[in-house]
Amino acid sequence: KGANVYKIVNPFGGGSFAFMIKSDGKTVVFPNGQVIYKHSTYGDVTMNNVTGTVSGNIVTLNVAGYIVSAGSFGGGQEIIKLPM
């Protein structure tokens, strides 16, 4: 059984991102450096050092930092409901 790759299209009004759930159904892989938004002052915003969990069709992404050219907006959490 292979991994499942998901692409979330334009969730923040300025970029899309992708992540993978490995074949074990629990391990989330999120590549660093994906541009998720373009801030009017600070430019590209990326989500970095993301870990995740899967519970049923809910994916929780724990974001260590929303990174911009001037530094970071801090961390946060994104909750995604996948289709059943």
Side-chain angles (χ1 to χ4, degrees):
K1 184 176 175 182
N4 291 310
V5 177
Y6 298 91
K7 182 175 183 179
I8 308 300
V9 178
N10 204 22
F12 307 110
S16 301
F17 64 87
F19 62 93
M20 178 174 62
I21 300 175
K22 289 190 173 184
S23 60
D24 64 9
K26 298 176 184 178
T27 305
V28 176
V29 177
F30 189 98
N32 281 334
Q34 298 182 76
V35 176
I36 61 163
Y37 181 70
K38 186 172 284 290
H39 190 278
S40 61
T41 302
Y42 299 109
D44 291 346
V45 180
T46 62
M47 293 191 321
N48 285 354
N49 299 319
V50 177
T51 60
T53 60
V54 180
S55 179
N57 68 326
I58 303 296
V59 177
T60 303
L61 300 176
N62 299 301
V63 182
Y66 297 89
I67 307 299
V68 295
S69 61
S72 173
F73 289 132
Q77 191 174 69
E78 305 294 339
I79 299 171
I80 300 162
K81 185 176 182 181
L82 300 175
M84 302 273 310

